Amino acid sequence: MAVRTNEWAAKVLMLLKGGNTDAALAQIKVAPSVKDILALQAALAQVRLPGRRRDVDDTIQQSIDALSAPRLHRSP
């Protein structure tokens, strides 16, 4: 079975590889879903980038926490 790459994660990974960390951090903060962030984490692990940039790892974890939290809202 072939691994399907996540398009969003691939784009953010290219930003990181290209050295544009600020743009990558901005994209991580507005990630579409936890699934996309987890795909990015897997891609980072594959290219052996996790742990090298503490700010990226922290932003990824904050985004996972924020997107995983239950939404507080009032029903109409």
Side-chain angles (χ1 to χ4, degrees), residues 10-21:
K11 289 178 182 179
V12 175
L13 184 60
M14 291 307 292
L15 287 171
L16 288 169
K17 284 183 176 180
N20 197 345
T21 306

Side-chain angles (χ1 to χ4, degrees), residues 23-69:
L25 291 176
Q27 285 297 310
I28 294 167
K29 289 179 184 178
V30 296
S33 69
V34 173
K35 180 181 172 184
D36 294 317
I37 297 173
L38 294 176
L40 175 63
Q41 266 188 331
L44 288 171
Q46 237 178 5
V47 296
R48 294 173 179 78
L49 283 179
R52 289 190 181 177
R53 296 188 182 258
R54 187 71 184 151
D55 52 348
V56 173
D57 293 338
D58 289 343
T59 303
I60 287 173
Q61 189 57 49
Q62 290 170 1
S63 293
I64 289 172
D65 293 343
L67 289 171
S68 298

